[in-house]
Amino acid sequence: KAGVTQTPRYLIKTRGQQVTLSCSPISGHRSVSWYQQTPGQGLQFLFEYFSETQRNKGNFPGRFSGRQFSNSRSEMNVSTLELGDSALYLCASSPTGVSTGELFFGEGSRLTVL
Amino acid sequence: GIQVEQSPPDLILQEGANSTLRCNFSDSVNNLQWFHQNPWGQLINLFYIPSGTKQNGRLSATTVATERYSLLYISSSQTTDSGVYFCAVEGGQGNTPLVFGKGTRLSVIA
């Protein structure tokens, strides 16, 4: 069974640009969560999608958005990039619909903003 | 929201030594997981353990939900055990995201 797949793995952008990251969950998993990891703030929750609906949202500005498609694949978008958006963005999938359940993470997308 | 504290923040071990990592949480939990973050950044599931005890090879974990803590035991440590170990919890209300601790950075030296 394939794991969680995130693309791209590495990317470099400049301030003011936007970026889209993609996450394909484990087959059969309907919940996808996104986390941002930085040295200063640690792992912070961005949002969770279940069956194409945003179920939870973390404390991030509106520049951070996401969506989930009918095949459970998810994308997140960051507009008007700032230097502080440089981070490892991790996607996790979960099989359960009621609560978070056991999460399985992808390898992450490492974003550098110059 | 729920608070998660991990200790110690850093740990250096000689290969072959045993260690205990601790995770304290501030409220009842539905979900507790231990992860190992490898040098490439991926979080690897170690245990899904909201209560009770589990073992997987040289690793074992115990969660005492009534006392709001969990322990991760690593026996006969190897250099490949190096990395950061995270505890993450979901609060008792359910349907809330996992909250991560700040992690324990383990270095195993040969």
Side-chain angles (χ1 to χ4, degrees):
Chain A
K1 203 174 197 182
V4 179
T5 303
Q6 290 188 245
T7 57
R9 293 289 315 282
Y10 302 91
L11 65 166
I12 300 174
K13 294 285 187 178
T14 57
R15 280 181 298 173
Q17 287 186 311
Q18 71 154 10
V19 65
T20 299
L21 309 178
S22 178
C23 172
S24 293
I26 292 171
S27 177
H29 287 196
R30 297 167 66 189
S31 169
V32 173
S33 304
W34 289 89
Y35 285 80
Q36 181 197 63
Q37 186 177 26
T38 59
Q41 299 298 317
L43 278 149
Q44 294 187 288
F45 171 74
L46 281 158
F47 23 67
E48 181 199 358
Y49 288 88
F50 178 76
S51 293
E52 301 180 65
T53 300
Q54 187 179 86
R55 188 159 66 176
N56 280 302
K57 189 178 191 308
N59 189 25
F60 278 81
R63 300 184 298 106
F64 292 81
S65 63
R67 59 178 174 168
Q68 187 181 33
F69 302 95
S70 58
N71 62 358
S72 293
R73 189 178 70 86
S74 177
E75 288 181 348
M76 67 162 283
N77 183 274
V78 187
S79 63
T80 318
L81 284 166
E82 301 177 0
L83 295 179
D85 297 333
S86 294
L88 179 65
Y89 290 88
L90 291 161
C91 167
S93 75
S94 168
T96 66
V98 176
S99 74
T100 306
E102 187 172 5
L103 258 59
F104 297 87
F105 280 85
E107 294 179 294
S109 293
R110 190 171 296 278
L111 170 65
T112 301
V113 182
L114 301 176
Chain B
I2 194 165
Q3 305 296 313
V4 183
E5 290 188 8
Q6 291 186 242
S7 59
D10 295 281
L11 186 59
I12 301 174
L13 295 176
Q14 201 74 32
E15 198 170 28
N18 302 328
S19 62
T20 301
L21 282 58
R22 188 177 180 100
C23 171
N24 291 334
F25 42 94
S26 60
D27 203 349
S28 61
V29 296
N30 284 332
N31 177 356
L32 188 147
Q33 289 186 245
W34 283 96
F35 296 92
H36 175 217
Q37 188 165 39
N38 66 22
W40 298 272
Q42 186 172 12
L43 287 167
I44 308 297
N45 290 47
L46 297 177
F47 295 102
Y48 173 74
I49 188 166
S51 64
T53 298
K54 291 185 177 179
Q55 180 155 8
N56 184 4
R58 296 182 295 103
L59 274 60
S60 63
T62 295
T63 297
V64 184
T66 53
E67 298 189 18
R68 299 181 182 172
Y69 72 88
S70 182
L71 302 174
L72 177 68
Y73 305 96
I74 304 174
S75 64
S76 304
S77 57
Q78 301 174 358
T79 55
T80 53
D81 295 331
S82 296
V84 184
Y85 290 80
F86 288 100
C87 167
V89 304
E90 177 192 2
Q93 296 76 18
N95 199 25
T96 56
L98 281 185
V99 175
F100 282 77
K102 293 187 183 301
T104 292
R105 182 174 297 277
L106 174 65
S107 300
V108 181
I109 54 177

